[in-house]
Amino acid sequence: MGKADEGYGEWEELVAGALLGTERRGRGGGGPAGSPEALLDAAAVHTVRRRAGLLPAEAGPRPDPAPRDPRPAPPEAAGRRLAQLLAGRSGPVNGGGRRGTAPDLTELLPQWLAAAARHGYRSPASLVPALLDAARARTDLRPQALALAGTRGLWLARMNPDWRFALRGGSGGAGELPEVTDRVAVEQLWQEGLFAERVALLGAVRAHEAAAAPRLLMTTWAAERAEDRLMFLDSLRVGLSEGDEPFLEAALGDRSRNVRATAAELLSALPASALAGRMAERALACVGPEGVTPPAECDAGMLRDGVVKRPPAGRGERAWWLGQLVEAAPLSCWRERFGGLGPAEIVALPVAAGDGWTEELHAAWCRAAVRQRDAPWSRALLGPASAPPAAGPGTASLAERAKLLETLPHAERAEWVAEFIRAHGLSEAFQLLGVCAVPWAGALGRAVVDALDTARDAGSYPWSFSGVMGLAERCLDPAEASRLEALTTAAEDLPDGSPGAAAYWAEAFQRLVSTLRLRAAMLAELAPA
Amino acid sequence: MTDQGDRWTAEQVLDLAPDDASRKAGGRLGGAGPWLQIGGSASGSVWGLCKGSGSKPYRTVVDLTGPAYKCSCPSRKFPCKHALGLLLLWSAEGFGEPAEAPEWAAQWLADLAAKAARPSGGRAAPADEEGARKRAERRAARVGAGVTELEQRLADLLRGGLAGQEQAGYAGWEETAARMVDAQAPGLAARVRELGTIPSCGPGWPARMLEEAGLLHLLDRAWLGVAGLPDELAATVRSRVGLPASGEGEAVRDRWLVLAQYDTVSPDGRLTTRRIWLRGLAGGRPALVLDFGPPGRPPGLALPVGLVLEAEMRFRPGSAGLRADLGERFAAAVPCTEVPDGVSAGAALEAYGTALRQDPWLESWPVVLGPVVPIPGELGWQLADAEGTSALPVPLTGGGGRSRGGLWQLAALSGGGPVTVFGECGHRGFTPLTAWQPDSNEPVALT
């Protein structure tokens, strides 16, 4: 703050005198002797005069204005709800113990963010700092929180080191992008932009003209850091097309092993690519109706095509190579090799049963089906949902089955999982439920609620099912709330059940109902007025 | 009262919450789920039955004019989570047409109205004027002795020099403060404690310490000569020393806009002070209402930012006419629909300077500043006039140790553009408390 000029020198003198003390100052400290009272009098006068005469300071450089965010703000009620969810993100109030009947707001934040993204909203400006803090604390929220915070978020993050992460992380949170046809502007942002902006730009350019993206990448490729090269490659995963092949083929010779492996993986997801053709040739040489003969060596060609030579501990070399070849070969190549059979029939063949390679082969087919997003093969490898997992054709691993399910259309996925729950109960369904679309389809929701009801009748405690219960709070269709109401009344404990279980179940169902109601209200608030 | 236009916002409701836990708990009760028999009356009250864990639902009533709360739950917090939940529900959805209160709510509302109707001036007349005068004399004598002792202490300080203070530590000042408490001069005690903390405050402390010592000395001298001062200044001195206000203040009726509300906790954690800043919309007069909460209990009075209450404010004499007590209220509080006019950085400092003439011990003055642009900086923030080159520095600490979170919120609101900001403008700079977004009339309390 500016100083009242006339008093300035005198004030400094007073401070110097006060530091020294009037006693010493009198004894030849330089300056006139004075009483402490006189010094205090003068200090009081100066202080009041200085304060009363304060002038504004010279303004420093103003920040550049934040780029305009053309998206609409959410309706007021929705904005308030977001403020509430962000304030409650530190966790449930009665942390630790029983959760009572209150919904857990923390878990609703991701849904709010996802719904807001579907509506194309921007964050209310006053909540941007809280969103950035939330994104900083929870990486799972980061992409969506940053997308909502938008240009205002990036603008703020530039000024606060705590939010630096926002400038590098994820896509979608980028600033205003130039018109993709404006070559000069595109070029400039590509050269100078933040990483997030560049990823977004690459996406926009790709959406406009597929072949332009690799051209843009080539201009700076050699100078990019390995970490960035990997992330740029990764961003090609969405909307991957034949046009990307020459670029990916060149990246097979990259100096970074991770970049090479990712390029090979992407190429193998393009069944018509040259790499897929080379892998098919190798795989077909190993697998056929007559049996399985894994490769005898890992040659230079295989290495260049991304095959990793050294197996992890506990795996045999030849099985390891075989797995990688089959995984990268287009699934379409097997029909001809097996005399025109379909996936289900091929999977059912006792190929290689005698040699003990079946498990290896089926696991590789599972990975190929996931990578190539091949629904018929996934269906064949999953088998019927009612069959015991261990008897399934492809894999008994729930994690892998969940991935296979993801290649199926939503309705079929829900149907399969509902069937699985009806046959096997809830205890193994958790991962499979996680890949179903939210809100759950009617049949799936009913299967879950029926299974919970059955578990209650069996007399166990609800917290044995807390995982599924929590998932149900987030994923059940809010329309189910009224149907659930009947389950919320506390019944008598069963004679052979656990003591008090009935009351706990009633409470758990009450919470489920109140969370569903809250979700319904939340989603209704987000609907544009 | 329950029609759409007059409802409070959720922020305004949540500002009433006594603490964070209540805020969260209230938020969870703000949906239709647990509520039965909800309704609102034309005279400004809302009620509802809330399903709890027990068999009987809780009966919750809120008088919006107070606001005053009644709930059959065992919570000792006011308002309780049920009252907050009910208000949130009302804020979000409204309760439709005004209705008659059910019997359980009507009884309490009637009692409340009866209490309000009783004449408030019923304070007992001084039964023993002579005794009161003697007590006042005795207290004045005690304070006088304390002041004389403090003067001695200050003189010793300046005689020996401030240079030793960094090593001397806090204990000596704590002892002096305790003696001021014994002398029944709590205002002096607080200033002495503050003085003792300055040497550990970092660079520039000697100048700050000399300022504070000078002002304390000025207060001592003023007390010793209080009989010869004009009435207003004498009242200021008495209240700065820590004596209770004498006599009724001036009553001003206006529509009072709540500009800010925030709490600070005393260093020992035993007392919560709530500051509520208001401004008369017609008269333009600022008012500061203070309320206090003992350990573990929030202050009872809560006035959400952005509300306007038609009420009588009774201003205490002295202290630049800022301190006021909320008197009778004439209508339920309603949300303000306009952004108050702001002044430039220069005018803000001028207002502070003018107020110092009435109360030289004043730390800051309430000001609506704007349009201004917040300028974040690693070493310090500024609020700069949208036009021109003048700016006010923003103290990064102080103002009761408020966090920098509110500043980032302010920056986010502005996006580099101009905003209107309410805050305290003083010799340390401008502490922002409330801001208005460029494209909305709704105030945002900076937290």
Side-chain angles (χ1 to χ4, degrees), chain A residues 18 22 41 57 59-60 62 66 80 152, chain B residues 10 158 162 217 382 385 389 391 412 415:
Chain A
T22 51
D41 280 345
R62 291 172 170 74
R80 280 184 222 122
R152 189 65 58 102
Chain B
L158 270 302
L162 300 180
H217 167 71
Q382 285 186 327
D385 286 345
T389 58

Side-chain angles (χ1 to χ4, degrees), chain B residues 307-372:
Chain B
L307 285 188
V308 178
L309 28 142
E310 173 143 23
E312 201 171 63
M313 205 63 79
R314 279 196 286 276
F315 285 89
R316 300 189 178 186
S319 298
L322 269 188
R323 272 294 299 282
D325 298 295
L326 189 52
E328 193 183 340
R329 300 193 212 183
F330 303 104
V334 294
C336 182
T337 52
E338 282 162 57
V339 180
D341 288 334
V343 301
S344 70
L349 285 174
E350 218 171 280
Y352 170 60
T354 308
L356 280 176
R357 285 205 298 226
Q358 290 172 274
D359 179 359
W361 298 278
L362 200 62
E363 287 286 309
S364 62
W365 185 254
V367 170
V368 177
L369 195 64
V372 282

Side-chain angles (χ1 to χ4, degrees), chain A residues 1 11 14-15 17-24 36-37 39-41 43-44 47-48 50-66 76 79-81 83-84 87-88 90-93 102-105 122 124-129 152 155-156 159-161 163 485 517-518 525, chain B residues 9-11 14 21 24 27-28 33 88 91 151 154-155 158-163 205-207 210-215 217-218 221 345-346 349 352-353 356 360 362-363 373-376 382 384-393 408-409 411-416 426-429 437 439 442 444:
Chain A
M1 198 158 307
W11 173 249
L14 281 178
V15 175
L19 266 172
L20 199 60
T22 51
E23 224 167 38
R24 253 167 296 176
E37 287 81 7
L39 182 53
L40 284 165
D41 280 345
T47 302
V48 178
R50 267 157 46 90
R51 289 183 179 183
L54 281 172
L55 295 173
E58 183 86 7
R62 291 172 170 74
D64 291 331
E76 261 179 57
R80 280 184 222 122
R81 178 78 65 186
Q84 229 175 317
S90 37
V93 188
D104 183 354
L105 296 183
R122 68 176 153 84
S126 60
L127 295 178
V128 169
R152 189 65 58 102
W155 178 84
L156 263 192
M159 295 188 279
N160 186 342
W163 297 327
E485 197 78 58
R517 292 245 154 84
L518 190 61
E525 285 162 1
Chain B
T9 67
E11 278 85 31
L14 290 172
K24 284 179 196 166
R28 280 191 292 268
L88 283 173
S91 140
E151 272 298 276
L154 289 174
L158 270 302
R159 195 174 290 119
L162 300 180
W205 70 266
L210 183 58
E211 284 190 347
E212 288 309 317
L215 289 174
H217 167 71
L218 182 65
R221 302 298 306 167
L349 285 174
Y352 170 60
L356 280 176
L362 200 62
E363 287 286 309
V373 180
I375 306 179
Q382 285 186 327
D385 286 345
E387 307 284 333
T389 58
S390 296
L392 295 179
W408 285 108
Q409 222 180 343
L413 283 175
S414 104
H427 58 94
R428 295 166 199 271
Q437 320 189 43
D439 47 359
E442 208 176 303
V444 176

Side-chain angles (χ1 to χ4, degrees), chain A residues 443-475:
Chain A
L444 176 58
R446 279 192 292 284
V448 171
V449 173
D450 287 348
L452 285 171
D453 203 21
T454 308
R456 164 167 74 175
D457 290 344
S460 51
Y461 284 117
W463 39 90
S464 320
F465 300 90
S466 57
V468 173
M469 205 44 131
L471 211 51
E473 287 172 29
R474 294 192 292 272
C475 306

Side-chain angles (χ1 to χ4, degrees), chain B residues 190-284:
Chain B
R191 293 191 92 88
V192 168
R193 274 197 199 97
E194 187 70 33
L195 189 66
T197 63
I198 294 179
S200 56
C201 279
W205 70 266
R208 277 209 294 283
M209 190 157 196
L210 183 58
E211 284 190 347
E212 288 309 317
L215 289 174
L216 194 47
H217 167 71
L218 182 65
L219 188 53
D220 287 342
R221 302 298 306 167
W223 171 265
L224 295 173
V226 75
L229 293 177
D231 285 352
E232 270 296 302
L233 194 54
T236 302
V237 171
R238 280 198 202 90
S239 82
R240 288 290 177 192
V241 167
L243 266 59
S246 56
E248 282 278 299
E250 180 192 357
V252 178
R253 178 173 171 166
D254 201 339
R255 295 175 58 241
W256 298 94
L257 167 62
V258 184
L259 286 168
Q261 169 185 308
Y262 68 94
D263 293 351
T264 48
V265 179
S266 63
D268 59 4
R270 291 184 53 186
L271 185 74
T272 305
T273 304
R274 175 164 294 169
R275 284 180 174 74
I276 302 174
W277 285 111
L278 304 111
R279 179 152 93 170
L281 287 178

Side-chain angles (χ1 to χ4, degrees), chain A residues 288-292 347-362:
Chain A
E290 62 284 355
V292 174
V347 167
L349 283 178
V351 207
D355 310 333
W357 295 109
T358 313
E359 207 178 308
E360 211 64 61
L361 182 61
H362 281 189

Side-chain angles (χ1 to χ4, degrees), chain A residues 299-366:
Chain A
D299 59 33
M302 283 162 70
L303 281 178
R304 188 186 138 75
D305 284 343
V307 174
V308 178
K309 187 170 182 182
R310 285 176 56 94
R315 302 280 305 270
E317 273 187 338
R318 298 182 66 197
W320 173 243
W321 299 331
L322 172 72
Q324 292 180 78
L325 297 184
V326 173
E327 177 185 350
L331 285 161
S332 55
C333 73
W334 301 111
R335 176 178 280 270
E336 196 186 335
R337 188 78 174 89
F338 286 96
L341 296 180
E345 294 152 304
I346 296 176
V347 167
L349 283 178
V351 207
D355 310 333
W357 295 109
T358 313
E359 207 178 308
E360 211 64 61
L361 182 61
H362 281 189
W365 273 337
C366 283

